[in-house]
Amino acid sequence: MESKFFLIFTCEIPSKGAATTPFFINYKRHFKLHKKDSSRIINNGYDKYTTSDGKRTIEVKEVTPEEFVNNLKTAVKSQLPKDRWRVSVYDVEDYKDCKLYTTKNGSTAAITKDGDIISVCSNNYDGKNHDSIRALLEYCVKQGGNKLDSFDANFEVYRHCGFAPVSYCAFDEEFAPQGWKKDRDKKETIIFFKYIGKESEYKTAKEFYNEVEISKDYDQAMKDRDLRWNNAR
């Protein structure tokens, strides 16, 4: 297992106001390598995207795999040392068939061919958050993203951004990400989400766990999400 993403953004939660929270992980690289579509045209300019409620705006553009990896590495370095282990930076080849986006502030997000939102990381270059997670995720959904997986500590973040939990699995120490320390870091449950465009009926991760059976491992949890796709709520 490998951590795929974990970052810190500004999270807007209506009931509590703006908050800074870490989120996103994905243990295993489950997208396959594909040859780059040479006909794909990448826009060199930034586009402004404003959330559907009109409250948050980001400037974002699509970039090449080489640019994306460089930006992601920089964003990872901007995170606190205790958080960096949650971010995996893949080889350039691994992103060849993904849609790759970078904000003007240097934050990143990618979407695999099957709609998995990955490699989301904020560039906190001066110790502050500059991009809205709600805006970046909503933008990714507009570009074809429809699912993601994350540590359960981020449950509330994704719930308020319109993602519903579908399946989950336990942290497997055997596949712990590089940099994870047993004496410092928790073995956080991994939740697989589907975008439904509204807040999930499950108000807490615990409530979700009480109603849904745990998957035996990461791969099975990913399969279970697909099998239960229409049951997300």
Side-chain angles (χ1 to χ4, degrees):
M1 287 186 179
E2 294 180 349
S3 166
K4 191 157 61 178
F5 30 61
F6 177 98
L7 357 88
I8 299 176
F9 271 90
T10 299
C11 168
E12 301 79 10
I13 299 177
S15 61
K16 296 183 179 181
T20 298
T21 184
F23 60 99
F24 275 148
I25 71 108
N26 189 324
Y27 277 150
K28 288 189 175 181
R29 176 190 306 164
H30 57 267
F31 50 94
K32 297 179 180 179
L33 302 183
H34 298 273
K35 291 183 178 179
K36 178 71 175 179
D37 181 357
S38 59
S39 65
R40 188 174 180 82
I41 299 175
I42 294 184
N43 181 8
N44 291 322
Y46 288 99
D47 293 323
K48 284 189 176 182
Y49 178 78
T50 301
T51 52
S52 56
D53 61 8
K55 295 180 179 180
R56 307 158 187 89
T57 299
I58 57 173
E59 293 186 67
V60 60
K61 70 175 181 178
E62 188 171 5
V63 296
T64 65
E66 292 79 9
E67 290 177 291
F68 184 81
V69 170
N70 287 335
N71 290 334
L72 180 55
K73 287 180 178 179
T74 299
V76 170
K77 289 180 181 178
S78 76
Q79 302 302 315
L80 295 174
K82 67 180 181 66
D83 294 333
R84 291 174 189 164
W85 65 269
R86 292 181 174 91
V87 185
S88 287
V89 181
Y90 299 132
D91 295 333
V92 170
E93 289 294 321
D94 292 341
Y95 293 105
K96 290 287 186 177
D97 203 45
C98 297
K99 295 178 181 178
L100 308 169
Y101 302 101
T102 296
T103 69
K104 197 168 186 178
N105 292 316
S107 301
T108 64
I111 307 170
T112 67
K113 193 173 183 179
D114 65 347
D116 203 355
I117 301 172
I118 65 169
S119 297
V120 181
C121 192
S122 172
N123 187 340
N124 301 336
Y125 52 85
D126 58 359
K128 299 179 181 179
N129 300 321
H130 300 279
D131 292 308
S132 162
I133 176 57
R134 184 184 294 274
L136 189 56
L137 286 177
E138 190 175 301
Y139 180 82
C140 285
V141 169
K142 296 288 186 182
Q143 306 307 315
N146 59 10
K147 57 188 174 182
L148 55 83
D149 53 90
S150 173
F151 286 126
D152 65 357
N154 304 309
F155 180 89
E156 191 174 13
V157 175
Y158 292 114
R159 178 175 182 271
H160 286 289
C161 287
F163 288 83
V166 182
S167 59
Y168 66 104
C169 66
F171 182 97
D172 190 337
E173 191 174 336
E174 180 181 356
F175 300 102
Q178 184 178 4
W180 180 83
K181 294 183 179 181
K182 187 174 183 178
D183 60 349
R184 180 193 65 184
D185 305 312
K186 296 180 179 179
K187 298 179 181 179
E188 297 181 29
T189 300
I190 304 125
I191 301 178
F192 290 72
F193 293 85
K194 171 193 174 180
Y195 184 73
I196 61 172
K198 60 182 180 180
E199 290 188 354
S200 169
E201 293 180 12
Y202 298 111
K203 292 182 171 58
T204 65
K206 185 177 181 180
E207 182 180 331
F208 171 63
Y209 299 152
N210 288 338
E211 292 194 25
V212 178
E213 183 178 356
I214 191 171
S215 301
K216 68 176 182 179
D217 56 28
Y218 183 94
D219 288 338
Q220 188 59 52
M222 185 165 56
K223 293 177 183 178
D224 287 342
R225 175 177 56 188
D226 294 337
L227 290 172
R228 304 169 188 167
W229 190 258
N230 295 326
N231 298 327
R233 56 187 179 89

